[in-house]
Amino acid sequence: MTSPVRIHSESAVLQPPHSTGFTESSLALLKREDGIVQSSEMLEHKASDRGLYLSCFDMLFTEDAAWLVRVTDAPAAAGARLEPEQCPVIDSPGLGASPLSPTLEEQVEERSLEQVQSLVVGEVLKDIETACKLLNITPDPMEWNCGNVQKWLLWTEHLYRLPQVGKAFQDLDGKDLCSMSEEDFRQRSPQCSETLHAHLDIWKSAAWMKERCSGGETRMREGEELWSEADSSCSGQPIHLWQFLRELLLKPHSYGRCIRWLNKEKGIFKIEDSAHVARLWGLRKNRPAMNYDKLSRSIRQYYKKGIIRKPDVSQRLVYQFVHPV
DNA sequence: AACCGGAAGT
DNA sequence: AACTTCCGGT
């Protein structure tokens, strides 16, 4: 779960151990455009002199950096209660002892900045796609109706463990939302304004980028189907529960903490966080009252249909696809 | 807290 | 048809 946070963890993992360039450049960007970061000296020398920012990535990076800072600060900040599982790697890479020789380190650093840059952007887009599938909304906030806005809010709240503030944005559609300044957000929700505004900006930027890029190449037919994803499940029909579970299982990086394979070949999987999976299912089906009791009832309906069953040795929260792929 | 399956509702 | 909701019992 947790798109942007996860992205950072991933980026951090993929970086060479001592390369903290990403963090620093992000902070530098943040400092340049925002006023949040206090520490200054270490920021100037990296990134800022390389002119490596494609303009359309700026926003993404800025907002990303904002997240990074927030995540990093989270333990100290009283308001934000981000759980450790959300950012497992953030604080661990580099910083400690690094066996890399300086020259190699430099070379690696040179490249990693650019690599990480495109990697992060790609991950952001990927995560937005995933969220859109899950929520059944379009990626472009400008196209959202009020219901879509509420879904997005619910999702974002869930992502960052924010209190529920949907009420405060009840009457807004996507256009309204997009035209709101951070101050407007603050008036609606003093506690979450920053987070929501920043996260929305990521989506706006992504939509803007996507539009720009797709404008350059294949015009995507007439259908305006800019975001069509050859979605495994999307054939107009509403998604089935078993398909949904498969989707989650397919993305262990995102959902491995709430559902995972015990034996992929045999189709045996375990629901590690029943409440969470139920919440996701409810989100997808627009069933706010969904819970594990009901979800599991639906799973049990599959018993007689021969789609899912209990494994031979029945275990709590463990099920098995009768026909593993 | 899960698991189960009947019954009724959407 | 495929759940969703509710429920009494294990």
Side-chain angles (χ1 to χ4, degrees):
Chain A
M1 91 195 101
T2 69
S3 1
V5 177
R6 175 169 78 70
I7 288 160
H8 291 305
S9 339
E10 193 167 322
S11 311
V13 170
L14 290 168
Q15 274 182 95
H18 193 55
S19 166
T20 50
F22 174 53
T23 304
E24 289 171 7
S25 59
S26 302
L27 292 173
L29 254 177
L30 183 64
K31 175 165 171 273
R32 198 184 70 207
E33 307 201 8
D34 233 329
I36 302 178
V37 182
Q38 325 81 331
S39 48
S40 47
E41 324 75 28
M42 62 178 229
L43 304 175
E44 312 314 10
H45 65 291
K46 309 264 153 112
S48 46
D49 55 351
R50 293 185 194 184
L52 42 63
Y53 307 112
L54 301 173
S55 59
C56 64
F57 293 166
D58 256 51
M59 287 288 277
L60 273 172
F61 261 84
T62 306
E63 298 308 336
D64 258 7
W67 278 110
L68 223 161
V69 168
R70 241 161 253 143
V71 167
T72 314
D73 286 347
R81 42 197 226 349
L82 282 164
E83 286 156 35
E85 50 135 5
Q86 280 183 277
C87 43
V89 209
I90 285 289
D91 40 31
S92 50
L95 300 184
S98 166
L100 278 184
S101 71
T103 46
L104 178 56
E105 185 186 324
E106 275 169 19
Q107 292 171 357
V108 171
E109 208 162 34
E110 290 272 325
R111 264 180 231 142
S112 72
L113 261 169
E114 291 155 59
Q115 284 177 354
V116 165
Q117 172 181 271
S118 63
L119 202 141
V120 166
V121 171
E123 284 299 314
V124 167
L125 292 177
K126 227 188 286 174
D127 278 43
I128 287 178
E129 268 165 23
T130 305
C132 286
K133 256 189 246 177
L134 201 71
L135 302 174
N136 200 12
I137 61 178
T138 90
D140 186 356
M142 290 296 281
E143 295 175 26
W144 293 344
N145 60 29
C146 298
N148 298 154
V149 169
Q150 289 296 311
K151 275 189 181 179
W152 177 83
L153 278 168
L154 221 58
W155 172 251
T156 308
E157 290 159 5
H158 153 253
L159 213 56
Y160 300 112
R161 308 286 156 97
L162 304 175
Q164 302 220 340
V165 295
K167 266 245 166 76
F169 298 79
Q170 219 160 20
D171 41 348
L172 301 174
D173 67 18
K175 283 206 176 82
D176 298 327
L177 201 65
C178 288
S179 64
M180 284 170 66
S181 67
E182 190 167 349
E183 183 52 37
D184 296 330
F185 270 83
R186 198 166 293 126
Q187 282 173 14
R188 304 247 174 188
S189 164
Q191 326 124 316
C192 311
S193 57
E194 273 186 80
T195 303
L196 292 173
H197 185 253
H199 196 216
L200 179 64
D201 256 330
I202 292 177
W203 282 62
K204 287 202 287 199
S205 306
W208 185 72
M209 279 171 54
K210 196 92 175 188
E211 194 196 6
R212 233 185 145 212
C213 298
S214 71
E217 39 140 24
T218 3
R219 252 294 37 167
M220 256 304 175
R221 274 287 141 98
E222 275 300 301
E224 269 295 318
E225 287 225 274
L226 288 157
W227 296 78
S228 74
E229 265 305 305
D231 184 359
S232 57
S233 57
C234 103
S235 27
Q237 266 83 63
I239 190 172
H240 289 185
L241 177 54
W242 64 269
Q243 294 176 308
F244 177 76
L245 295 174
R246 274 240 153 85
E247 275 185 23
L248 298 189
L249 287 161
L250 216 64
K251 299 183 169 59
H253 195 108
S254 305
Y255 304 109
R257 286 190 201 86
C258 62
I259 183 170
R260 67 187 177 89
W261 293 114
L262 289 189
N263 184 330
K264 190 167 182 180
E265 288 65 46
K266 292 185 180 173
I268 301 175
F269 62 95
K270 172 160 185 177
I271 295 171
E272 300 279 6
D273 184 340
S274 58
H276 190 177
V277 173
R279 209 153 55 231
L280 293 174
W281 176 233
L283 219 47
R284 174 67 153 259
K285 288 292 294 292
N286 242 331
R287 291 279 160 188
M290 183 51 61
N291 57 29
Y292 182 67
D293 183 54
K294 288 182 270 197
L295 186 151
S296 65
R297 183 69 191 92
S298 294
I299 291 180
R300 290 197 294 278
Q301 302 280 29
Y302 286 145
Y303 291 176
K304 55 182 166 217
K305 296 186 190 172
I307 296 172
I308 290 177
R309 65 178 176 99
K310 264 314 209 180
D312 294 323
V313 277
S314 178
Q315 302 165 77
R316 202 163 229 238
L317 296 167
V318 177
Y319 298 90
Q320 176 169 14
F321 284 104
V322 175
H323 303 296
V325 179

